């Protein structure tokens, strides 16, 4: 079978090249270089290098490399869909990884702050403060330096900077919603709107940035942004599922209103819903309550209805791609990216068969 311009072998090669570029970036940062500025910034460069090395070590330890591969291939495939050549979008893939390295640390820090006592946070405050500053540099400032150094016109660089800024603001908005919306008042729709911002935003940024770099604008950039956002929502649903399947139950310990939890609450009669909410309150401190509520959430009937509710989200992502079109091989791989993501969700294939 003809794999086209960017089949699996070519994708693996491109992923390896981007990962090698990230390793080279870490080496240069450690020397105070790779920031497009004069020398003398070894402190921040070294901190960013160490931060990124820790991020990729964590990716390997948690078995998250498939997700990272998707982060890399998304902008490459979008650029390939528009031009037939994925390679020029490699800097966008790097920016996408930088964004996630920063955001993952800040998200983990926020989760830890909600789960731990004030005393333990005070002890760790100096180290955490250094990491926070470094995370802000990695995700907020380093992408700007990369964009400034691209061999592209001023209008393209401005569009890329706008996408990064938009992505950060949308994601912070979604994260704030995630931190403030409680399960008793949340609805499946409100949770999905938060997911569109929290995790949809960076994927939207990566897809739209690749389209901008390809030289298109207007509705096509909007369309790619919408596709990236739809893919990001599916990725967040997978993240939720992995948290349960791994036994970490971090979302339950943090009191997070995940889509599956809110779907369960919406499906229960009033009395059982009150029981579930009581379990959820206890789950902040009780491992047994977390285990019991997890069993409720993974009940066969709940999972089947959950999968049925997710199916339209998958169909929408495919529909957006069908409307955009482009290089057939790259579009096919973008469809496959949706299906592979959805394939990690429980009972999904049963729901759409």
């Amino acid at each position: 079978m003809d794999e086209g311009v960017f089949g699996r072998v070519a994708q693996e090669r491109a992923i390896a090249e981007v990962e090698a570029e990230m390793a080279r970036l870490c080496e240069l940062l450690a020397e105070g270089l790779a920031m497009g500025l004069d020398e003398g910034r070894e402190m921040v460069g070294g901190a960013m290098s160490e931060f990124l090395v820790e991020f990729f070590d964590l990716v390997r330890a948690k078995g998250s490399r498939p997700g990272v591969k998707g982060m890399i291939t998304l902008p490459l495939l979008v650029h390939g869909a528009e031009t037939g050549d994925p390679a020029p979008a490699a800097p966008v893939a790097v920016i996408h990884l930088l964004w996630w390295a920063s955001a993952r640390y800040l998200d983990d820090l926020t989760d830890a702050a909600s789960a731990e006592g004030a005393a333990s946070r005070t002890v760790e405050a100096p180290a955490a403060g250094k990491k926070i500053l470094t995370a802000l540099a990695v995700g907020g400032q380093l992408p700007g330096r990369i964009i400034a150094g691209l061999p592209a016109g001023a209008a393209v660089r401005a569009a890329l900077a706008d996408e990064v800024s938009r992505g950060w603001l949308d994601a912070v908005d979604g994260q704030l919603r995630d931190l403030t919306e409680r399960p008793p008042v949340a609805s499946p729709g409100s949770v999905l709107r938060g997911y569109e911002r929290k995790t949809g935003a960076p994927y939207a940024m990566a897809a739209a940035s690749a389209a901008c770099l390809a030289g298109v604008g207007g509705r096509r950039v909007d369309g790619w942004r919408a596709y990236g956002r739809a893919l990001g929502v599916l990725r967040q649903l997978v993240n939720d599922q992995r948290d349960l399947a791994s036994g970490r139950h971090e979302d339950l310990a943090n009191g997070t209103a995940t889509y599956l939890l809110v779907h369960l609450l919406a499906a229960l009669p009033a009395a059982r819903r009150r029981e579930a909410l009581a379990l959820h309150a206890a789950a902040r401190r009780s491992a047994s309550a977390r285990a019991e509520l997890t069993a409720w959430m993974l009940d066969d009937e709940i999972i089947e209805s959950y999968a049925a509710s997710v199916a339209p989200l998958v169909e929408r992502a495919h529909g957006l791609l069908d409307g955009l079109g482009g290089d057939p091989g790259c579009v096919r791989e973008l469809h496959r990216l949706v299906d592979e993501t959805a394939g990690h969700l429980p009972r999904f294939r049963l729901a759409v068969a």
Side-chain angles (χ1 to χ4, degrees):
M1 177 180 173
D2 181 13
E3 287 196 328
V5 69
F6 203 52
R8 285 313 170 97
V9 173
Q11 287 181 46
E12 289 296 335
R13 187 184 309 117
I15 290 166
E17 289 172 355
V18 170
E19 290 177 334
E21 179 61 25
M22 290 296 297
R24 190 175 77 89
L25 176 63
C26 288
E27 293 175 359
L28 292 172
L29 287 171
E31 299 173 9
L33 304 175
M35 289 174 271
L37 300 169
D38 53 357
E39 297 181 2
R41 293 175 175 80
E42 292 85 359
M43 182 66 76
V44 66
M48 288 192 289
S49 176
E50 182 179 337
F51 184 94
L52 289 169
V53 169
E54 289 181 3
F55 168 71
F56 286 107
D57 286 345
L58 182 63
V59 164
R60 285 187 287 271
K62 287 192 171 184
S64 300
R65 190 166 181 270
V68 168
K69 290 168 67 174
M71 294 173 193
I72 293 172
T73 55
L74 171 62
L76 300 180
L77 287 167
V78 170
H79 196 280
E82 287 292 351
T83 67
D85 184 7
V92 178
V94 169
I95 289 170
H96 197 199
L97 291 176
L98 293 175
W99 195 100
W100 275 108
S102 174
R104 173 174 283 192
Y105 174 76
L106 295 173
D107 183 56
D108 288 349
L109 188 69
T110 302
D111 289 344
S114 67
E116 297 176 2
S120 63
R121 294 201 302 275
T122 301
V123 171
E124 298 174 359
K130 292 177 182 178
K131 279 285 191 71
I132 291 170
L133 290 173
T134 304
L136 294 175
V138 165
Q141 300 308 312
L142 193 52
R145 304 312 308 169
I146 292 174
I147 290 170
L150 288 176
V156 171
R157 292 198 302 272
L160 294 175
D162 180 72
E163 291 297 337
V164 172
S165 175
R166 180 202 300 263
W168 268 112
L169 291 173
D170 284 351
V172 171
D173 181 271
Q175 186 66 36
L176 291 173
R177 292 172 187 269
D178 187 67
L179 291 170
T180 56
E181 188 168 45
R182 299 295 90 191
V185 297
S187 68
S190 69
V191 173
L192 287 178
R193 285 191 292 275
Y195 283 9
E196 287 179 353
R197 298 294 183 101
K198 174 184 175 180
T199 311
Y203 284 88
M205 177 272 293
S209 294
C212 291
L213 197 58
V216 301
R219 291 185 178 180
R220 290 199 66 78
V221 172
D222 292 343
W224 285 117
R225 190 184 300 114
Y227 166 75
R229 185 177 296 112
L231 180 63
V233 169
L234 296 177
R235 285 300 316 169
Q236 182 58 52
L237 292 170
V238 171
N239 291 345
D240 295 347
Q241 171 63 18
R242 288 185 63 189
D243 180 59
L244 288 177
S246 69
R248 292 193 300 266
H249 300 160
E250 292 173 358
D251 289 328
L252 292 177
N254 294 329
T256 304
T258 64
Y259 182 74
L260 178 54
L261 173 64
V262 175
H263 176 82
L264 165 70
L265 294 174
L268 293 175
R272 290 282 283 171
R273 186 176 189 274
R274 287 193 293 271
E275 290 181 49
L277 286 172
L279 270 178
H280 185 261
R284 299 294 296 270
R285 297 288 182 267
S286 168
S288 62
R290 290 193 289 273
E292 184 175 353
L293 186 53
T294 296
W296 284 39
M297 295 165 70
L298 298 181
D299 174 80
D300 285 348
E301 186 175 339
I302 293 298
I303 286 298
E304 288 188 22
S305 63
Y306 163 83
S309 74
V310 168
L313 305 179
V314 179
E315 292 166 3
R316 181 172 186 273
H318 283 305
L320 288 166
L321 274 177
D322 290 336
L324 284 161
D327 176 85
C330 288
V331 171
R332 181 179 64 242
E333 292 301 317
L334 286 163
H335 277 295
R336 185 181 295 179
L337 190 57
V338 173
D339 287 335
E340 287 182 347
T341 301
H344 292 289
L345 297 171
R347 302 288 181 87
F348 172 72
R349 289 188 176 84
L350 175 64
V352 298

